[in-house]
Amino acid sequence: MKRRKFLLASISAFVLSLVSLWYYKFRSTKIEALSYPMDLSKICDRKTLIGIGTTHRKLTDENTKNYLEELLLQDAVVIETNLKMSLRNKVTEDFNTGNTILIDGWLLSKTEARQCAFLSMSEVN
Amino acid sequence: MHTDARKLANNAKIEGDLCIVGAGAAGISMALDWNNSGKKVILLEGGGFEYDNKIQDLYSGNSTGQRYYPLRSCRLHLFGGTTGHWGGMCAPFDHIDFRKRSWVPDSGWPISLEDLVPFYKRAQGLFELDAYNYNLHYWQKEYPALTPFPLDKNIIWSKMWQFSPPTRFGKTYKETIVKSPNIHLYTYANLTKIVANNAVSNIKELIVKNLEGKTQRVRAKKFVLACGAIQNARMLLASSDVAKKGIGNGNDLVGRYFMEHLEIKSAELWLKRPISTELYIFDYGTRKPRAELALTEGIQEETGILNGSASLTPLVMAKQQMPLIDVWSNEDPRKSFDKLVANFRESREQNASWQNENGNTAFELFTRMEQAPNRNSRVTLSNEKDALGVPRPQLHWELTDLDKYSIRKFYHILGTQMGKAGIGRVRLEEFLWDEKDNSMPDRLGGGWHHMGTTRMSEDPNKGVVDANCKVHGISNLFIAGSGCFSTAGAPNPTLTLVALSLRLSDHLKKG
Ligand SMILES: Cc1cc2nc3c(=O)[nH]c(=O)nc-3n(C[C@H](O)[C@H](O)[C@H](O)COP(=O)(O)OP(=O)(O)OC[C@H]3O[C@@H](n4cnc5c(N)ncnc54)[C@H](O)[C@@H]3O)c2cc1C
């Protein structure tokens, strides 16, 4: 009986750790995508991106991670492997529709500005 | 033929068919057009063949409003005029520059681009330029590396420029003028007064003086003022014996609507990856044409902005360059010129990295934009007089909200388009950040382009000269030069002002 219990507990623990590992990986991939303005990162260094993000938060009321996440994921196809690309497409779409913002002089897509804001609040920062 | 007016007798009379005052780009172009015509052409030049400090001093004056270059040094007072210092950048005006635009008050010329094209073609030769073709595709055949950024053609286009050596009119055309059988050049012959008949409907004669204390009188059937936009207005205003407000100034327009080009570092362009194209880069060693980024007529109309363009300079190089207005601060034009040349040369030589074979990733975006016509931006006379007794000029350079709005909007559009095309990002200079701030910083410069002081309109209430550059109400007085521009246009003015002068020349020949 004891042995059965022990086996069950071990399996549950294993599954749980798998799930949390998966969740952790999913979450960190997501956070990475949310705080990675793909094109802008090729132009600006991390310090500048964080600076842009900090200013964005001051200029707008978008200054909690949850709210930024909510805004960033609006309309984006939230598929783990595609999040980075879908956010990138959203950036292009912003430029197409004039959904832009001026931050520290940079003429940016609102999506990438939010990504910078997310980065500036993120624990990896 | 050449005569030094200082050697003529005091009160001597000079007579001819046509009298052109001022031997700069406009005056010399017109005179050359009359070479061997059989008509006696008098060409009066205030200076000599060499720079003379005392003559240059006749150009001194004050300015208020937006900071400007010293009036003494922003023009040259000798045979050849300011072409002794010009940079040689040439491009024709765009269609839209001549149009009446609902969003640009006082815009619209009584002539169109088509009216000027035949004269642009003739003007090209005077500047030793290539064919009159400013189409990118034409130049790509000769220079395949002139590839444009892949931007939306409905919004952004490549405005092409050609480069004159630059032709120094004083050196290049001296011999032809001096040897001409019918052009009578008088140096040291400074116009000081235009004398009209009592009805101010006709010019009787010109009073010409020199610093040796001699006066001469000049009579001709027709007179053309070609002394530059500030000086032409000054001469008309100073001739107030019969016409109390000055000649041609019955409607209080002479000297008003002074315009410059707004030239200022406005933004930076950061590319995702280096793009290797020679299209936008000024190649100092050659006279290869290059382009600036310009906005289409459609988007100008849609957003209600002025016409202008942006040039690209590798940022490493541009960072070393001082603003033009700080460089050109000496009252002596030769010293200012030397400093300007050194400013460009040093920035280039100290930063060889801009010639990176793979191309650059960061550029300065430098604006060249027309100034909106503004009645309050004007040349008047000061109480002070020069050594020949002519009141000195007083410039009040005044800008409007539309000027600042247009520059800001231009870079918003450019930034959006760069992002849309996935090329890179634009970072605006701080003076453009606050949408409510319509002031211009002190580092704004001009191109030493003086325009609009005797603007063209068919309506005498709206312009000093008509479509043929004839002063309204006066049968035999004409103005040559950029003073006649109704609006400033996007590009530098000299090619256009010479084309306009050649058109005037044609008109005078027909009359
Ligand atoms: C540093 C610099 C760079 C420039 N670069 C460019 C460029 O790249 N492209 C461009 O298009 N333009 C450029 N310009 C502007 C260009 O030089 C002028 O547009 C052009 O020279 C104007 O021609 P103009 O004949 O009207 O006047 P000017 O060339 O100034 O000639 C006027 C003539 O009138 C004479 N004069 C004046 N008063 C009297 C008088 N009372 N009596 C008799 N004679 C008189 C003067 O001595 C002079 O010879 C530049 C100017 C400067 C200073």
Side-chain angles (χ1 to χ4, degrees), chain B residues 22-26 45-46 59 77-78 81-82 86-89 189 191 231 492 494:
Chain B
E45 169 50 46
Y59 266 169
H77 208 332
L78 73 156
T82 315
W86 83 312
M89 287 186 70
L191 168 67
Q231 188 76 336
N492 294 10
T494 312

Side-chain angles (χ1 to χ4, degrees), chain B residues 59-75 228-234 237 253-262 325 371 374-384 391-399 444-454 483:
Chain B
Y59 266 169
S60 295
N62 289 323
S63 64
T64 54
Q66 183 70 34
R67 181 183 174 208
Y68 198 59
Y69 303 112
L71 291 190
R72 189 184 192 279
S73 60
C74 66
R75 306 158 286 165
I230 296 176
Q231 188 76 336
N232 286 340
R234 179 187 175 204
L237 292 171
L253 285 167
V254 171
R256 291 192 183 270
Y257 294 97
F258 170 85
M259 296 174 288
E260 244 285 9
H261 283 115
L262 310 172
I325 194 94
Q371 173 190 346
N374 174 12
R375 213 183 133 75
N376 298 328
S377 182
R378 64 188 297 204
V379 174
T380 52
L381 299 179
S382 95
N383 295 328
E384 229 182 281
R392 289 200 183 278
Q394 170 80 38
L395 170 68
H396 179 70
W397 188 25
E398 192 183 281
L399 306 178
L444 172 90
W448 306 272
H449 308 150
H450 311 140
M451 299 168 280
T453 55
T454 52

Side-chain angles (χ1 to χ4, degrees), chain B residues 21-27 44-47 59 74-83 85-90 189-192 226-229 231 235 328 337 340 447-449 480-482 492-495 497:
Chain B
V21 191
L44 301 176
E45 169 50 46
Y59 266 169
C74 66
R75 306 158 286 165
L76 272 179
H77 208 332
L78 73 156
F79 181 77
T82 315
T83 65
H85 275 168
W86 83 312
M89 287 186 70
C90 292
N190 269 285
L191 168 67
T192 55
C227 301
Q231 188 76 336
M235 290 299 135
W328 198 282
F337 181 75
L340 181 77
W448 306 272
H449 308 150
S482 46
N492 294 10
T494 312
L495 181 67
L497 77 85

Side-chain angles (χ1 to χ4, degrees), chain A residues 39-40 42-43 88 91-92 94-96 98 100 102-109 112, chain B residues 270-273 411-412 415-417 419-420 422-429 432-433:
Chain A
D39 283 355
L40 197 58
K42 297 198 176 93
I43 289 165
R88 185 175 186 249
V91 167
T92 310
D94 279 351
F95 282 115
N96 279 330
T100 56
L102 195 72
I103 299 178
D104 295 344
W106 291 97
L107 201 286
L108 302 173
S109 114
E112 63 191 355
Chain B
W270 289 82
L271 304 177
K272 264 178 11 189
R273 63 186 77 85
Y411 289 98
H412 273 259
T416 305
Q417 294 306 312
K420 190 169 131 185
I423 295 174
R425 297 289 179 270
V426 167
R427 186 178 193 199
L428 278 67
E429 285 285 302
L432 295 172
W433 293 6

